Amino acid sequence: MLAESGATLVALYRAHLLSPSMLAVLGFVAAFTLVAVAIGWRHRVLSALALRNSAVSLATLAVNILMAPVVYVAAGLVAAGYAQLGIPAVPASAWDGAPWLLMAVIGILGKDFADYWCHRALHTPIGWPVHAVHHSDTHVNGFTAFRVHLLEVLTMKVFYIVLLTWMGIPPGAIVAAYVVASLHTAYVHLELDIDHGPLNWLVASPRFHRWHHADVPEAYGKNLANMIPLWDLMFGTYHRHDSCHAPMGATRDGVPDTDAAKLVTLPFTLWWRQGRAALAGRWHRRDLPR
Ligand SMILES: [Zn+2]
Ligand SMILES: [Zn+2]
């Protein structure tokens, strides 16, 4: 029994570490860093601040990898609970004969819509303590894509899996959507000062997402879309996408940028502070400006 559980755990870790999205993103960010150094951007991508923050982002990834089985089990329980509710869904057969590319595009659209609303929920007083971990990076780069608290990984997964399974999207198209979204997430965090001109409303650029990480009040809770800024334009959270030279991070809120251990416990620390302030009648929405 013990040996069986051990083998399952090893299989789970292997599948997670060798998953297409993990390999694609790590390879992509590593390749970008190598090219950046080769073309003389060493001061930009390998500064002391960049190295310190990248190390903490990778430490967060290591914690998440270690805890991956918890996410799989919890996501499975939520999916089973959702199935129990018997909510009518689009049958998978409705997509029979649909071209594979169309399925992948619908999968990306559905996932990005779910991600937008999940991200919006993470910028509320209850969600912010979890999401502050992602915003803690004071040198945003490709590795920031991995600086996500375990509770956020779980929340995001539940949001889009529930939506895509409700839509009857085949598992292959869900994986394709996930790989494309993961690569794009790494791309928008790169130290590139570029946008997409006439396609800015359709595909988020590094400039667009840099504003999301800007530690300036007018940008808080803005530019929330992962891939498709159209959601921000539609739902009133669009800010701007020009060159961003504002400071990154959330240090104004006292969120540490390079203390990996404190970031693991950050959601609980902030919820505890919120709870105590609420009990003392001192809590205000403005205490959490995001
Ligand atoms: Zn955010
Ligand atoms: Zn980000």
Side-chain angles (χ1 to χ4, degrees):
M1 178 67 191
L2 202 64
E4 231 172 71
S5 310
T8 311
L9 215 57
V10 169
L12 210 59
Y13 277 125
R14 191 174 295 158
H16 186 70
L17 281 168
L18 300 178
S19 70
S21 62
M22 179 75 81
L23 293 177
V25 173
L26 276 174
F28 176 62
V29 177
F32 171 81
T33 309
L34 287 175
V35 170
V37 170
I39 63 171
W41 286 6
R42 177 184 283 269
H43 63 286
R44 191 189 302 194
V45 297
L46 294 180
S47 65
L49 187 68
L51 291 175
R52 272 203 310 274
N53 272 287
S54 300
V56 171
S57 297
L58 288 172
T60 310
L61 171 67
V63 171
N64 289 351
I65 287 172
L66 210 63
M67 301 295 287
V70 176
V71 174
Y72 284 112
V73 171
L77 286 174
V78 173
Y82 178 76
Q84 287 288 315
L85 295 176
I87 295 170
V90 178
S93 57
W95 303 105
D96 280 352
W100 190 88
L101 191 62
L102 176 70
M103 292 312 310
V105 170
I106 292 173
I108 289 168
L109 278 172
K111 180 182 185 305
D112 205 57
F113 185 74
D115 284 348
Y116 172 83
W117 286 104
C118 182
H119 195 180
R120 199 157 164 162
L122 289 167
H123 276 268
T124 60
I126 296 293
W128 173 250
V130 174
H131 190 49
V133 173
H134 181 61
H135 280 266
S136 64
D137 206 326
T138 49
H139 178 95
V140 172
N141 65 10
F143 296 110
T144 311
F146 291 117
R147 190 189 284 225
V148 182
H149 196 274
L150 192 71
L151 291 174
E152 181 170 334
V153 177
L154 182 61
T155 313
M156 285 281 198
K157 243 186 188 13
V158 167
F159 259 69
Y160 82 80
I161 286 178
V162 164
L163 181 71
L164 294 188
T165 48
W166 177 82
M167 288 166 71
I169 303 288
I174 295 181
V175 172
Y178 187 72
V179 173
V180 172
S182 302
L183 275 172
H184 181 265
T185 298
Y187 162 68
V188 294
H189 287 97
L190 295 179
E191 302 107 315
L192 286 173
D193 187 18
I194 55 171
D195 64 25
H196 300 146
L199 293 180
N200 276 330
W201 63 275
L202 184 64
V203 186
S205 66
R207 279 182 175 174
F208 172 87
H209 195 64
R210 203 146 276 260
W211 274 112
H212 180 66
H213 279 269
D215 198 7
V216 286
E218 69 265 27
Y220 292 168
K222 299 282 165 51
N223 286 13
L224 291 165
N226 265 15
M227 282 188 80
I228 308 171
L230 180 63
W231 310 132
D232 285 295
L233 289 163
M234 284 170 68
F235 303 117
T237 49
Y238 177 77
H239 183 50
R240 54 201 280 190
H241 61 254
D242 55 343
S243 197
C244 174
H245 302 290
M248 302 283 106
T251 49
R252 290 159 67 114
D253 299 346
V255 174
D257 59 344
T258 52
D259 189 329
K262 275 193 181 154
L263 289 176
V264 171
T265 54
L266 187 71
F268 310 103
T269 314
L270 293 184
W271 279 327
W272 175 252
R273 265 189 227 153
Q274 271 182 2
R276 279 205 331 190
L279 283 176
R282 286 185 286 104
W283 189 81
H284 296 288
R285 173 68 181 88
R286 64 175 178 274
D287 290 341
L288 287 163
R290 304 305 173 97

